[in-house]
Amino acid sequence: NAGVTQTPKFQVLKTGQSMTLQCAQDMNHEYMSWYRQDPGMGLRLIHYSVGAGITDQGEVPNGYNVSRSTTEDFPLRLLSAAPSQTSVYFCATRTGVEQYFGPGTRLTVT
Amino acid sequence: AQSVTQLDSQVPVFEEAPVELRCNYSSSVSVYLFWYVQYPNQGLQLLLKYLSGSTLVESINGFEAEFNKSQTSFHLRKPSVHISDTAEYFCAVRPFGGAQKLVFGQGTRLTINP
């Protein structure tokens, strides 16, 4: 049981490039979400999904897209990377009241 | 909407000293309360949670937090810290009902000095 996995661990992008951050879970949890973590700002919700085929925006959705075609996967797409998207990104799942976080992806946009 | 304020961004303490990390929240509806811990270069782990019942909740590694409804606070305490407690600690709330989105505070970096 791997829990929540994220790839890649590290990524450097140039401004304007696009990429997809991968998130997968093997716990069969319906709820999945993406957060970004920035110094002094805690974790902020980007997008979330309550089940396959259903997604919604969080607090800071601009510049990011998501889709949820399966229960297991919840990729986060950066359409045109900007330096303001330099951050650590965490994927999480939830069952009941408990939330489980992945190890994170550290993204730098130059 | 909910908001969470962690009153200290950094807390340095000596090993074996007591520590308190402060958390206040604002919400127009009832909430669940959580403390998460993030060790260096790792993801977040749930440390403890308040759902209902006794207002004092404890973790397996000696931390405790007390829910104070009148002061809308959920401060985290430990009577004697260890070097291994060095981490960033996040307070979070989740409202009952609706989309139940988790809202985090800004984090408190706890540094233990020998």
Side-chain angles (χ1 to χ4, degrees), chain B residues 26 55-56 100:
Chain B
S26 171
T55 57
L56 185 66
Q100 299 187 21

Side-chain angles (χ1 to χ4, degrees), chain B residues 1-51:
Chain B
Q2 290 72 44
S3 67
V4 179
T5 302
Q6 292 183 242
L7 297 157
D8 305 291
S9 60
Q10 296 188 59
V11 174
V13 296
F14 287 106
E15 196 172 16
E16 297 184 6
V19 71
E20 178 180 77
L21 307 185
R22 296 178 292 169
C23 172
N24 287 94
Y25 70 94
S26 171
S27 177
S28 57
V29 300
S30 296
V31 295
Y32 301 117
L33 297 129
F34 305 86
W35 276 99
Y36 284 85
V37 58
Q38 184 181 32
Y39 298 106
N41 300 312
Q42 295 187 27
L44 276 74
Q45 302 172 34
L46 180 65
L47 184 62
L48 45 76
K49 58 184 183 253
Y50 172 77
L51 306 180

Side-chain angles (χ1 to χ4, degrees), chain A:
Chain A
N1 189 333
V4 182
T5 58
Q6 292 183 238
T7 55
K9 283 187 169 37
F10 302 93
Q11 182 70 48
V12 179
L13 290 179
K14 292 189 189 317
T15 297
Q17 288 185 316
S18 62
M19 81 159 292
T20 299
L21 279 63
Q22 301 292 345
C23 174
Q25 55 115 348
D26 60 1
M27 298 179 284
N28 203 34
H29 293 167
E30 293 293 333
Y31 186 99
M32 295 185 75
S33 52
W34 276 102
Y35 293 85
R36 59 177 289 171
Q37 181 183 21
D38 302 292
M41 303 190 76
L43 277 78
R44 293 179 292 169
L45 183 65
I46 304 172
H47 284 285
Y48 66 100
S49 168
V50 298
I54 307 168
T55 63
D56 205 348
Q57 296 181 351
E59 185 185 356
V60 288
N62 292 342
Y64 307 96
N65 272 1
V66 292
S67 60
R68 184 97 179 270
S69 55
T70 67
T71 299
E72 292 77 22
D73 299 297
F74 190 42
L76 179 71
R77 297 184 187 84
L78 281 69
L79 307 172
S80 177
S84 60
Q85 293 178 304
T86 293
S87 188
V88 181
Y89 291 85
F90 289 100
C91 178
T93 71
R94 190 177 82 204
T95 181
V97 297
E98 195 135 346
Q99 196 137 321
Y100 300 86
F101 287 84
T105 293
R106 185 174 295 273
L107 175 68
T108 302
V109 183
T110 62

